[in-house]
Amino acid sequence: QQQVKQSPQSLIVQKGGISIINCAYENTAFDYFPWYQQFPGKGPALLIAIRPDVSEKKEGRFTISFNKSAKQFSLHIMDSQPGDSATYFCAASVALSGYSTLTFGKGTMLLVSP
Amino acid sequence: DTAVSQTPKYLVTQMGNDKSIKCEQNLGHDTMYWYKQDSKKFLKIMFSYNNKELIINETVPNRFSPKSPDKAHLNLHINSLELGDSAVYFCASSQVSGGAHNEQFFGPGTRLTVL
């Protein structure tokens, strides 16, 4: 059972364009939604995260939009740059007695063409 | 300084062998994890240790045995390796405090190839 569904699987965007990656979840107990960025040969690194008490969070060119009623959240990359080319993972977690584990989406390979 | 380190980076071995992957974090975190990333890049939690105690053990064959000698180390031992074990294994760590969600820091990964 895949608890976090991510789309698209791959995305090609022109330099300067907007990249949009979408995720949907099923478990209403999830209370933390991070996005991770992974470059080839490297481990994932936290990019930006949101909690369900806000509908949007922005950090530089990266914005998370969160729709609690629809159980969906998305990552928007404004003014996409070739250096943003990487695999992006959405994730979700729920705190369990002080512990939490991340459930990842299947990832989106983003290519930003020069 | 590397926050989460893993050795080796690459591991090529024959079916049936036993191998270990080591992980160390110098962040002072109390929780460490092992993830498996398959050929389609899907990341899945395998184990989680808090203060050397196993707290999460997902559906993983018992050929996989994590060992945490101290808070800074979480090693993964794999017995009787199978072709399907070929993947990239990531170690991660985080500081768990009062139920708050904190960033997980990932290591560079170990690419295991079973021939």
Side-chain angles (χ1 to χ4, degrees), chain A residues 31-32 36 38 41 43-44 46 51 87 89 93-95 98-101 104, chain B residues 9 33 35 37 41-43 50 55-56 90 96 99 101 103-104 106-108:
Chain A
D31 58 0
Y32 176 66
Y36 278 78
Q38 185 180 24
L46 180 65
R51 297 179 194 276
T87 300
F89 294 93
S93 71
V94 56
Y99 310 118
S100 63
T101 60
F104 283 91
Chain B
K9 186 162 177 64
Y33 313 81
Y35 287 86
Q37 186 170 49
K41 295 210 161 192
F42 183 49
L43 271 164
N50 175 264
I55 56 171
I56 292 170
F90 287 100
V96 174
H101 295 280
E103 178 179 357
Q104 289 189 20
F106 283 76

PDB file of all heavy atoms in Angstrom, chain A residues 31-32 36 38 41 43-44 46 51 87 89 93-95 98-101 104, chain B residues 9 33 35 37 41-43 50 55-56 90 96 99 101 103-104 106-108:
ATOM      1  N   ASP A  31       1.411  14.341  10.032  1.00  0.00           N
ATOM      2  CA  ASP A  31       1.430  15.712  10.517  1.00  0.00           C
ATOM      3  C   ASP A  31       2.727  16.444  10.194  1.00  0.00           C
ATOM      4  O   ASP A  31       3.037  17.472  10.800  1.00  0.00           O
ATOM      5  CB  ASP A  31       1.142  15.748  12.024  1.00  0.00           C
ATOM      6  CG  ASP A  31       2.134  14.912  12.824  1.00  0.00           C
ATOM      7  OD1 ASP A  31       3.042  14.311  12.208  1.00  0.00           O
ATOM      8  OD2 ASP A  31       1.999  14.866  14.053  1.00  0.00           O
ATOM      9  N   TYR A  32       3.467  15.922   9.257  1.00  0.00           N
ATOM     10  CA  TYR A  32       4.710  16.575   8.857  1.00  0.00           C
ATOM     11  C   TYR A  32       4.998  16.154   7.431  1.00  0.00           C
ATOM     12  O   TYR A  32       4.953  14.955   7.119  1.00  0.00           O
ATOM     13  CB  TYR A  32       5.834  16.143   9.803  1.00  0.00           C
ATOM     14  CG  TYR A  32       7.213  16.652   9.464  1.00  0.00           C
ATOM     15  CD1 TYR A  32       7.522  18.011   9.518  1.00  0.00           C
ATOM     16  CD2 TYR A  32       8.230  15.765   9.120  1.00  0.00           C
ATOM     17  CE1 TYR A  32       8.799  18.458   9.229  1.00  0.00           C
ATOM     18  CE2 TYR A  32       9.500  16.206   8.830  1.00  0.00           C
ATOM     19  CZ  TYR A  32       9.780  17.559   8.892  1.00  0.00           C
ATOM     20  OH  TYR A  32      11.043  18.007   8.611  1.00  0.00           O
ATOM     21  N   TYR A  36      12.496  16.242   0.014  1.00  0.00           N
ATOM     22  CA  TYR A  36      13.926  15.972  -0.025  1.00  0.00           C
ATOM     23  C   TYR A  36      14.411  16.073  -1.468  1.00  0.00           C
ATOM     24  O   TYR A  36      13.699  15.732  -2.424  1.00  0.00           O
ATOM     25  CB  TYR A  36      14.229  14.573   0.536  1.00  0.00           C
ATOM     26  CG  TYR A  36      14.304  14.538   2.047  1.00  0.00           C
ATOM     27  CD1 TYR A  36      13.148  14.539   2.820  1.00  0.00           C
ATOM     28  CD2 TYR A  36      15.531  14.524   2.695  1.00  0.00           C
ATOM     29  CE1 TYR A  36      13.215  14.515   4.201  1.00  0.00           C
ATOM     30  CE2 TYR A  36      15.610  14.493   4.081  1.00  0.00           C
ATOM     31  CZ  TYR A  36      14.448  14.487   4.825  1.00  0.00           C
ATOM     32  OH  TYR A  36      14.514  14.470   6.196  1.00  0.00           O
ATOM     33  N   GLN A  38      17.609  14.959  -4.013  1.00  0.00           N
ATOM     34  CA  GLN A  38      18.709  14.009  -4.118  1.00  0.00           C
ATOM     35  C   GLN A  38      19.434  14.183  -5.441  1.00  0.00           C
ATOM     36  O   GLN A  38      18.829  14.047  -6.510  1.00  0.00           O
ATOM     37  CB  GLN A  38      18.209  12.567  -3.981  1.00  0.00           C
ATOM     38  CG  GLN A  38      19.333  11.532  -3.971  1.00  0.00           C
ATOM     39  CD  GLN A  38      18.829  10.101  -3.845  1.00  0.00           C
ATOM     40  OE1 GLN A  38      17.692   9.788  -4.184  1.00  0.00           O
ATOM     41  NE2 GLN A  38      19.672   9.208  -3.348  1.00  0.00           N
ATOM     42  N   GLY A  41      24.301  10.013  -6.915  1.00  0.00           N
ATOM     43  CA  GLY A  41      25.423   9.571  -6.100  1.00  0.00           C
ATOM     44  C   GLY A  41      25.458  10.147  -4.697  1.00  0.00           C
ATOM     45  O   GLY A  41      26.427   9.917  -3.960  1.00  0.00           O
ATOM     46  N   GLY A  43      23.173  11.247  -0.933  1.00  0.00           N
ATOM     47  CA  GLY A  43      21.997  10.946  -0.143  1.00  0.00           C
ATOM     48  C   GLY A  43      20.969  12.069  -0.240  1.00  0.00           C
ATOM     49  O   GLY A  43      21.305  13.198  -0.575  1.00  0.00           O
ATOM     50  N   PRO A  44      19.707  11.771   0.056  1.00  0.00           N
ATOM     51  CA  PRO A  44      18.684  12.826   0.054  1.00  0.00           C
ATOM     52  C   PRO A  44      18.998  13.885   1.111  1.00  0.00           C
ATOM     53  O   PRO A  44      19.563  13.579   2.164  1.00  0.00           O
ATOM     54  CB  PRO A  44      17.397  12.063   0.424  1.00  0.00           C
ATOM     55  CG  PRO A  44      17.697  10.625   0.150  1.00  0.00           C
ATOM     56  CD  PRO A  44      19.160  10.455   0.386  1.00  0.00           C
ATOM     57  N   LEU A  46      17.193  17.403   3.086  1.00  0.00           N
ATOM     58  CA  LEU A  46      15.959  18.147   3.301  1.00  0.00           C
ATOM     59  C   LEU A  46      16.000  19.472   2.558  1.00  0.00           C
ATOM     60  O   LEU A  46      16.950  20.248   2.652  1.00  0.00           O
ATOM     61  CB  LEU A  46      15.756  18.400   4.793  1.00  0.00           C
ATOM     62  CG  LEU A  46      14.492  19.177   5.157  1.00  0.00           C
ATOM     63  CD1 LEU A  46      13.247  18.363   4.809  1.00  0.00           C
ATOM     64  CD2 LEU A  46      14.496  19.549   6.634  1.00  0.00           C
ATOM     65  N   ARG A  51       4.013  21.836   8.020  1.00  0.00           N
ATOM     66  CA  ARG A  51       3.090  21.136   8.913  1.00  0.00           C
ATOM     67  C   ARG A  51       1.680  21.508   8.493  1.00  0.00           C
ATOM     68  O   ARG A  51       1.460  22.548   7.897  1.00  0.00           O
ATOM     69  CB  ARG A  51       3.369  21.533  10.357  1.00  0.00           C
ATOM     70  CG  ARG A  51       4.755  21.111  10.791  1.00  0.00           C
ATOM     71  CD  ARG A  51       5.062  21.523  12.232  1.00  0.00           C
ATOM     72  NE  ARG A  51       6.489  21.387  12.490  1.00  0.00           N
ATOM     73  CZ  ARG A  51       7.103  20.264  12.839  1.00  0.00           C
ATOM     74  NH1 ARG A  51       6.395  19.169  12.971  1.00  0.00           N
ATOM     75  NH2 ARG A  51       8.406  20.232  13.058  1.00  0.00           N
ATOM     76  N   THR A  87      16.568  14.512  -8.263  1.00  0.00           N
ATOM     77  CA  THR A  87      15.350  13.760  -7.959  1.00  0.00           C
ATOM     78  C   THR A  87      14.742  14.337  -6.687  1.00  0.00           C
ATOM     79  O   THR A  87      15.459  14.553  -5.695  1.00  0.00           O
ATOM     80  CB  THR A  87      15.639  12.267  -7.777  1.00  0.00           C
ATOM     81  OG1 THR A  87      16.195  11.745  -8.984  1.00  0.00           O
ATOM     82  CG2 THR A  87      14.355  11.505  -7.464  1.00  0.00           C
ATOM     83  N   PHE A  89      11.825  14.065  -3.698  1.00  0.00           N
ATOM     84  CA  PHE A  89      10.936  13.147  -2.991  1.00  0.00           C
ATOM     85  C   PHE A  89      10.052  13.923  -2.029  1.00  0.00           C
ATOM     86  O   PHE A  89      10.556  14.713  -1.217  1.00  0.00           O
ATOM     87  CB  PHE A  89      11.738  12.135  -2.167  1.00  0.00           C
ATOM     88  CG  PHE A  89      12.560  11.175  -2.981  1.00  0.00           C
ATOM     89  CD1 PHE A  89      13.886  11.466  -3.280  1.00  0.00           C
ATOM     90  CD2 PHE A  89      12.022   9.989  -3.432  1.00  0.00           C
ATOM     91  CE1 PHE A  89      14.658  10.589  -4.027  1.00  0.00           C
ATOM     92  CE2 PHE A  89      12.784   9.096  -4.175  1.00  0.00           C
ATOM     93  CZ  PHE A  89      14.102   9.398  -4.469  1.00  0.00           C
ATOM     94  N   SER A  93       5.130  12.014   7.589  1.00  0.00           N
ATOM     95  CA  SER A  93       5.368  11.229   8.798  1.00  0.00           C
ATOM     96  C   SER A  93       4.360  11.599   9.872  1.00  0.00           C
ATOM     97  O   SER A  93       3.695  12.630   9.803  1.00  0.00           O
ATOM     98  CB  SER A  93       6.797  11.439   9.317  1.00  0.00           C
ATOM     99  OG  SER A  93       6.939  12.727   9.864  1.00  0.00           O
ATOM    100  N   VAL A  94       4.260  10.715  10.828  1.00  0.00           N
ATOM    101  CA  VAL A  94       3.387  10.940  11.980  1.00  0.00           C
ATOM    102  C   VAL A  94       4.186  10.607  13.219  1.00  0.00           C
ATOM    103  O   VAL A  94       4.920   9.618  13.254  1.00  0.00           O
ATOM    104  CB  VAL A  94       2.111  10.075  11.879  1.00  0.00           C
ATOM    105  CG1 VAL A  94       2.433   8.607  11.737  1.00  0.00           C
ATOM    106  CG2 VAL A  94       1.212  10.309  13.082  1.00  0.00           C
ATOM    107  N   ALA A  95       4.096  11.457  14.213  1.00  0.00           N
ATOM    108  CA  ALA A  95       4.815  11.228  15.464  1.00  0.00           C
ATOM    109  C   ALA A  95       4.148  10.105  16.227  1.00  0.00           C
ATOM    110  O   ALA A  95       2.945  10.104  16.416  1.00  0.00           O
ATOM    111  CB  ALA A  95       4.837  12.504  16.287  1.00  0.00           C
ATOM    112  N   GLY A  98       6.773  10.044  20.322  1.00  0.00           N
ATOM    113  CA  GLY A  98       8.067  10.698  20.264  1.00  0.00           C
ATOM    114  C   GLY A  98       8.927  10.270  19.100  1.00  0.00           C
ATOM    115  O   GLY A  98       9.970  10.848  18.844  1.00  0.00           O
ATOM    116  N   TYR A  99       8.514   9.235  18.366  1.00  0.00           N
ATOM    117  CA  TYR A  99       9.302   8.792  17.228  1.00  0.00           C
ATOM    118  C   TYR A  99       8.504   9.009  15.961  1.00  0.00           C
ATOM    119  O   TYR A  99       7.287   9.092  15.979  1.00  0.00           O
ATOM    120  CB  TYR A  99       9.661   7.315  17.366  1.00  0.00           C
ATOM    121  CG  TYR A  99      10.251   6.972  18.698  1.00  0.00           C
ATOM    122  CD1 TYR A  99       9.625   6.081  19.549  1.00  0.00           C
ATOM    123  CD2 TYR A  99      11.426   7.566  19.122  1.00  0.00           C
ATOM    124  CE1 TYR A  99      10.156   5.776  20.781  1.00  0.00           C
ATOM    125  CE2 TYR A  99      11.962   7.277  20.364  1.00  0.00           C
ATOM    126  CZ  TYR A  99      11.319   6.379  21.180  1.00  0.00           C
ATOM    127  OH  TYR A  99      11.847   6.084  22.420  1.00  0.00           O
ATOM    128  N   SER A 100       9.188   9.094  14.865  1.00  0.00           N
ATOM    129  CA  SER A 100       8.485   9.206  13.592  1.00  0.00           C
ATOM    130  C   SER A 100       9.357   8.629  12.498  1.00  0.00           C
ATOM    131  O   SER A 100      10.588   8.653  12.594  1.00  0.00           O
ATOM    132  CB  SER A 100       8.162  10.662  13.266  1.00  0.00           C
ATOM    133  OG  SER A 100       9.343  11.403  13.105  1.00  0.00           O
ATOM    134  N   THR A 101       8.746   8.069  11.492  1.00  0.00           N
ATOM    135  CA  THR A 101       9.496   7.613  10.327  1.00  0.00           C
ATOM    136  C   THR A 101       8.881   8.244   9.095  1.00  0.00           C
ATOM    137  O   THR A 101       7.693   8.575   9.072  1.00  0.00           O
ATOM    138  CB  THR A 101       9.462   6.091  10.171  1.00  0.00           C
ATOM    139  OG1 THR A 101       8.112   5.663  10.024  1.00  0.00           O
ATOM    140  CG2 THR A 101      10.092   5.400  11.355  1.00  0.00           C
ATOM    141  N   PHE A 104       8.046   7.832   2.020  1.00  0.00           N
ATOM    142  CA  PHE A 104       8.417   8.613   0.847  1.00  0.00           C
ATOM    143  C   PHE A 104       7.504   8.337  -0.334  1.00  0.00           C
ATOM    144  O   PHE A 104       6.996   7.213  -0.502  1.00  0.00           O
ATOM    145  CB  PHE A 104       9.856   8.276   0.427  1.00  0.00           C
ATOM    146  CG  PHE A 104      10.912   8.910   1.281  1.00  0.00           C
ATOM    147  CD1 PHE A 104      11.419   8.248   2.387  1.00  0.00           C
ATOM    148  CD2 PHE A 104      11.409  10.169   0.966  1.00  0.00           C
ATOM    149  CE1 PHE A 104      12.403   8.834   3.178  1.00  0.00           C
ATOM    150  CE2 PHE A 104      12.394  10.754   1.749  1.00  0.00           C
ATOM    151  CZ  PHE A 104      12.886  10.093   2.854  1.00  0.00           C
TER     152      PHE A 104
ATOM    153  N   LYS B   9      31.476   2.618   0.241  1.00  0.00           N
ATOM    154  CA  LYS B   9      30.585   3.320  -0.681  1.00  0.00           C
ATOM    155  C   LYS B   9      30.056   2.349  -1.740  1.00  0.00           C
ATOM    156  O   LYS B   9      28.933   2.488  -2.205  1.00  0.00           O
ATOM    157  CB  LYS B   9      31.310   4.487  -1.353  1.00  0.00           C
ATOM    158  CG  LYS B   9      30.387   5.338  -2.217  1.00  0.00           C
ATOM    159  CD  LYS B   9      30.983   6.688  -2.507  1.00  0.00           C
ATOM    160  CE  LYS B   9      30.083   7.493  -3.435  1.00  0.00           C
ATOM    161  NZ  LYS B   9      28.777   7.786  -2.796  1.00  0.00           N
ATOM    162  N   TYR B  33      18.750   5.462  11.404  1.00  0.00           N
ATOM    163  CA  TYR B  33      17.857   4.718  10.514  1.00  0.00           C
ATOM    164  C   TYR B  33      18.651   4.038   9.400  1.00  0.00           C
ATOM    165  O   TYR B  33      19.716   4.497   9.019  1.00  0.00           O
ATOM    166  CB  TYR B  33      16.867   5.680   9.833  1.00  0.00           C
ATOM    167  CG  TYR B  33      16.192   6.679  10.722  1.00  0.00           C
ATOM    168  CD1 TYR B  33      16.834   7.856  11.094  1.00  0.00           C
ATOM    169  CD2 TYR B  33      14.893   6.476  11.175  1.00  0.00           C
ATOM    170  CE1 TYR B  33      16.212   8.799  11.901  1.00  0.00           C
ATOM    171  CE2 TYR B  33      14.249   7.408  11.976  1.00  0.00           C
ATOM    172  CZ  TYR B  33      14.922   8.571  12.335  1.00  0.00           C
ATOM    173  OH  TYR B  33      14.298   9.493  13.132  1.00  0.00           O
ATOM    174  N   TYR B  35      17.693   2.931   5.400  1.00  0.00           N
ATOM    175  CA  TYR B  35      16.747   2.945   4.299  1.00  0.00           C
ATOM    176  C   TYR B  35      17.327   2.133   3.147  1.00  0.00           C
ATOM    177  O   TYR B  35      18.535   2.087   2.953  1.00  0.00           O
ATOM    178  CB  TYR B  35      16.505   4.369   3.789  1.00  0.00           C
ATOM    179  CG  TYR B  35      15.678   5.236   4.686  1.00  0.00           C
ATOM    180  CD1 TYR B  35      16.259   5.968   5.724  1.00  0.00           C
ATOM    181  CD2 TYR B  35      14.302   5.369   4.496  1.00  0.00           C
ATOM    182  CE1 TYR B  35      15.495   6.782   6.547  1.00  0.00           C
ATOM    183  CE2 TYR B  35      13.535   6.180   5.305  1.00  0.00           C
ATOM    184  CZ  TYR B  35      14.137   6.888   6.330  1.00  0.00           C
ATOM    185  OH  TYR B  35      13.378   7.686   7.140  1.00  0.00           O
ATOM    186  N   GLN B  37      17.091   1.943  -1.059  1.00  0.00           N
ATOM    187  CA  GLN B  37      16.620   2.585  -2.282  1.00  0.00           C
ATOM    188  C   GLN B  37      16.820   1.618  -3.436  1.00  0.00           C
ATOM    189  O   GLN B  37      17.949   1.270  -3.774  1.00  0.00           O
ATOM    190  CB  GLN B  37      17.361   3.904  -2.550  1.00  0.00           C
ATOM    191  CG  GLN B  37      16.808   4.667  -3.737  1.00  0.00           C
ATOM    192  CD  GLN B  37      17.381   6.066  -3.863  1.00  0.00           C
ATOM    193  OE1 GLN B  37      18.594   6.266  -3.811  1.00  0.00           O
ATOM    194  NE2 GLN B  37      16.509   7.057  -4.030  1.00  0.00           N
ATOM    195  N   LYS B  41      14.580   3.915  -7.549  1.00  0.00           N
ATOM    196  CA  LYS B  41      14.826   5.033  -6.640  1.00  0.00           C
ATOM    197  C   LYS B  41      13.817   5.135  -5.501  1.00  0.00           C
ATOM    198  O   LYS B  41      13.778   6.157  -4.818  1.00  0.00           O
ATOM    199  CB  LYS B  41      14.883   6.370  -7.398  1.00  0.00           C
ATOM    200  CG  LYS B  41      16.044   6.467  -8.368  1.00  0.00           C
ATOM    201  CD  LYS B  41      16.503   7.897  -8.530  1.00  0.00           C
ATOM    202  CE  LYS B  41      17.898   7.949  -9.094  1.00  0.00           C
ATOM    203  NZ  LYS B  41      18.507   9.257  -9.015  1.00  0.00           N
ATOM    204  N   PHE B  42      13.007   4.091  -5.296  1.00  0.00           N
ATOM    205  CA  PHE B  42      12.048   4.138  -4.198  1.00  0.00           C
ATOM    206  C   PHE B  42      12.771   3.952  -2.870  1.00  0.00           C
ATOM    207  O   PHE B  42      13.518   3.002  -2.693  1.00  0.00           O
ATOM    208  CB  PHE B  42      10.987   3.061  -4.391  1.00  0.00           C
ATOM    209  CG  PHE B  42       9.905   3.071  -3.358  1.00  0.00           C
ATOM    210  CD1 PHE B  42       9.248   4.253  -3.031  1.00  0.00           C
ATOM    211  CD2 PHE B  42       9.545   1.922  -2.687  1.00  0.00           C
ATOM    212  CE1 PHE B  42       8.255   4.276  -2.063  1.00  0.00           C
ATOM    213  CE2 PHE B  42       8.551   1.937  -1.728  1.00  0.00           C
ATOM    214  CZ  PHE B  42       7.906   3.114  -1.413  1.00  0.00           C
ATOM    215  N   LEU B  43      12.534   4.870  -1.940  1.00  0.00           N
ATOM    216  CA  LEU B  43      13.170   4.846  -0.633  1.00  0.00           C
ATOM    217  C   LEU B  43      12.232   4.232   0.391  1.00  0.00           C
ATOM    218  O   LEU B  43      11.107   4.702   0.567  1.00  0.00           O
ATOM    219  CB  LEU B  43      13.490   6.268  -0.177  1.00  0.00           C
ATOM    220  CG  LEU B  43      14.809   6.872  -0.559  1.00  0.00           C
ATOM    221  CD1 LEU B  43      14.771   8.374  -0.355  1.00  0.00           C
ATOM    222  CD2 LEU B  43      15.939   6.248   0.244  1.00  0.00           C
ATOM    223  N   ASN B  50      16.702   4.115  18.469  1.00  0.00           N
ATOM    224  CA  ASN B  50      16.765   5.284  19.328  1.00  0.00           C
ATOM    225  C   ASN B  50      17.576   4.926  20.558  1.00  0.00           C
ATOM    226  O   ASN B  50      17.215   3.997  21.279  1.00  0.00           O
ATOM    227  CB  ASN B  50      15.367   5.755  19.702  1.00  0.00           C
ATOM    228  CG  ASN B  50      15.395   6.904  20.688  1.00  0.00           C
ATOM    229  OD1 ASN B  50      15.285   6.702  21.898  1.00  0.00           O
ATOM    230  ND2 ASN B  50      15.531   8.112  20.180  1.00  0.00           N
ATOM    231  N   ILE B  55      13.487   0.516  17.581  1.00  0.00           N
ATOM    232  CA  ILE B  55      12.125   0.994  17.763  1.00  0.00           C
ATOM    233  C   ILE B  55      11.247   0.721  16.558  1.00  0.00           C
ATOM    234  O   ILE B  55      10.038   0.656  16.666  1.00  0.00           O
ATOM    235  CB  ILE B  55      12.088   2.494  18.114  1.00  0.00           C
ATOM    236  CG1 ILE B  55      12.811   3.337  17.063  1.00  0.00           C
ATOM    237  CG2 ILE B  55      12.682   2.753  19.475  1.00  0.00           C
ATOM    238  CD1 ILE B  55      12.633   4.834  17.247  1.00  0.00           C
ATOM    239  N   ILE B  56      11.816   0.605  15.405  1.00  0.00           N
ATOM    240  CA  ILE B  56      11.035   0.319  14.207  1.00  0.00           C
ATOM    241  C   ILE B  56      11.755  -0.747  13.394  1.00  0.00           C
ATOM    242  O   ILE B  56      12.931  -0.629  13.119  1.00  0.00           O
ATOM    243  CB  ILE B  56      10.819   1.573  13.352  1.00  0.00           C
ATOM    244  CG1 ILE B  56       9.902   2.544  14.084  1.00  0.00           C
ATOM    245  CG2 ILE B  56      10.237   1.202  11.981  1.00  0.00           C
ATOM    246  CD1 ILE B  56       9.806   3.892  13.446  1.00  0.00           C
ATOM    247  N   PHE B  90      20.953   3.533   2.552  1.00  0.00           N
ATOM    248  CA  PHE B  90      21.257   4.815   3.183  1.00  0.00           C
ATOM    249  C   PHE B  90      21.064   4.723   4.682  1.00  0.00           C
ATOM    250  O   PHE B  90      20.055   4.222   5.173  1.00  0.00           O
ATOM    251  CB  PHE B  90      20.338   5.917   2.648  1.00  0.00           C
ATOM    252  CG  PHE B  90      20.655   6.357   1.252  1.00  0.00           C
ATOM    253  CD1 PHE B  90      19.922   5.876   0.186  1.00  0.00           C
ATOM    254  CD2 PHE B  90      21.679   7.259   1.012  1.00  0.00           C
ATOM    255  CE1 PHE B  90      20.204   6.280  -1.110  1.00  0.00           C
ATOM    256  CE2 PHE B  90      21.977   7.669  -0.286  1.00  0.00           C
ATOM    257  CZ  PHE B  90      21.238   7.179  -1.347  1.00  0.00           C
ATOM    258  N   VAL B  96      15.430  13.113  18.055  1.00  0.00           N
ATOM    259  CA  VAL B  96      14.025  13.013  18.377  1.00  0.00           C
ATOM    260  C   VAL B  96      13.808  13.661  19.730  1.00  0.00           C
ATOM    261  O   VAL B  96      14.451  13.299  20.711  1.00  0.00           O
ATOM    262  CB  VAL B  96      13.561  11.552  18.417  1.00  0.00           C
ATOM    263  CG1 VAL B  96      12.114  11.454  18.890  1.00  0.00           C
ATOM    264  CG2 VAL B  96      13.710  10.928  17.040  1.00  0.00           C
ATOM    265  N   GLY B  99       8.439  14.215  20.584  1.00  0.00           N
ATOM    266  CA  GLY B  99       7.454  14.005  19.531  1.00  0.00           C
ATOM    267  C   GLY B  99       7.601  14.963  18.367  1.00  0.00           C
ATOM    268  O   GLY B  99       6.894  14.855  17.381  1.00  0.00           O
ATOM    269  N   HIS B 101       8.975  16.613  15.007  1.00  0.00           N
ATOM    270  CA  HIS B 101       9.604  16.081  13.801  1.00  0.00           C
ATOM    271  C   HIS B 101      10.867  16.877  13.528  1.00  0.00           C
ATOM    272  O   HIS B 101      10.816  18.097  13.401  1.00  0.00           O
ATOM    273  CB  HIS B 101       8.665  16.220  12.614  1.00  0.00           C
ATOM    274  CG  HIS B 101       7.425  15.400  12.757  1.00  0.00           C
ATOM    275  ND1 HIS B 101       7.390  14.060  12.487  1.00  0.00           N
ATOM    276  CD2 HIS B 101       6.173  15.744  13.143  1.00  0.00           C
ATOM    277  CE1 HIS B 101       6.167  13.609  12.703  1.00  0.00           C
ATOM    278  NE2 HIS B 101       5.410  14.599  13.097  1.00  0.00           N
ATOM    279  N   GLU B 103      14.658  17.119  11.266  1.00  0.00           N
ATOM    280  CA  GLU B 103      15.256  16.746   9.997  1.00  0.00           C
ATOM    281  C   GLU B 103      16.066  15.472  10.121  1.00  0.00           C
ATOM    282  O   GLU B 103      16.808  15.283  11.092  1.00  0.00           O
ATOM    283  CB  GLU B 103      16.152  17.876   9.506  1.00  0.00           C
ATOM    284  CG  GLU B 103      16.876  17.574   8.196  1.00  0.00           C
ATOM    285  CD  GLU B 103      17.738  18.723   7.736  1.00  0.00           C
ATOM    286  OE1 GLU B 103      17.729  19.779   8.401  1.00  0.00           O
ATOM    287  OE2 GLU B 103      18.435  18.571   6.717  1.00  0.00           O
ATOM    288  N   GLN B 104      15.903  14.610   9.153  1.00  0.00           N
ATOM    289  CA  GLN B 104      16.757  13.433   9.065  1.00  0.00           C
ATOM    290  C   GLN B 104      17.906  13.754   8.120  1.00  0.00           C
ATOM    291  O   GLN B 104      17.687  14.236   7.013  1.00  0.00           O
ATOM    292  CB  GLN B 104      15.966  12.221   8.553  1.00  0.00           C
ATOM    293  CG  GLN B 104      14.972  11.690   9.568  1.00  0.00           C
ATOM    294  CD  GLN B 104      14.338  10.377   9.157  1.00  0.00           C
ATOM    295  OE1 GLN B 104      14.857   9.648   8.319  1.00  0.00           O
ATOM    296  NE2 GLN B 104      13.198  10.058   9.762  1.00  0.00           N
ATOM    297  N   PHE B 106      20.922  12.313   5.905  1.00  0.00           N
ATOM    298  CA  PHE B 106      21.268  11.059   5.247  1.00  0.00           C
ATOM    299  C   PHE B 106      22.763  10.970   4.955  1.00  0.00           C
ATOM    300  O   PHE B 106      23.415  11.981   4.669  1.00  0.00           O
ATOM    301  CB  PHE B 106      20.516  10.930   3.923  1.00  0.00           C
ATOM    302  CG  PHE B 106      19.074  10.540   4.093  1.00  0.00           C
ATOM    303  CD1 PHE B 106      18.131  11.466   4.524  1.00  0.00           C
ATOM    304  CD2 PHE B 106      18.659   9.247   3.829  1.00  0.00           C
ATOM    305  CE1 PHE B 106      16.799  11.107   4.693  1.00  0.00           C
ATOM    306  CE2 PHE B 106      17.333   8.870   3.981  1.00  0.00           C
ATOM    307  CZ  PHE B 106      16.401   9.813   4.419  1.00  0.00           C
ATOM    308  N   GLY B 107      23.267   9.756   4.986  1.00  0.00           N
ATOM    309  CA  GLY B 107      24.630   9.497   4.558  1.00  0.00           C
ATOM    310  C   GLY B 107      24.707   9.432   3.041  1.00  0.00           C
ATOM    311  O   GLY B 107      23.686   9.558   2.355  1.00  0.00           O
ATOM    312  N   PRO B 108      25.901   9.212   2.494  1.00  0.00           N
ATOM    313  CA  PRO B 108      26.086   9.214   1.040  1.00  0.00           C
ATOM    314  C   PRO B 108      25.629   7.934   0.354  1.00  0.00           C
ATOM    315  O   PRO B 108      25.570   7.876  -0.866  1.00  0.00           O
ATOM    316  CB  PRO B 108      27.593   9.397   0.883  1.00  0.00           C
ATOM    317  CG  PRO B 108      28.153   8.805   2.127  1.00  0.00           C
ATOM    318  CD  PRO B 108      27.171   9.087   3.213  1.00  0.00           C
TER     319      PRO B 108
END
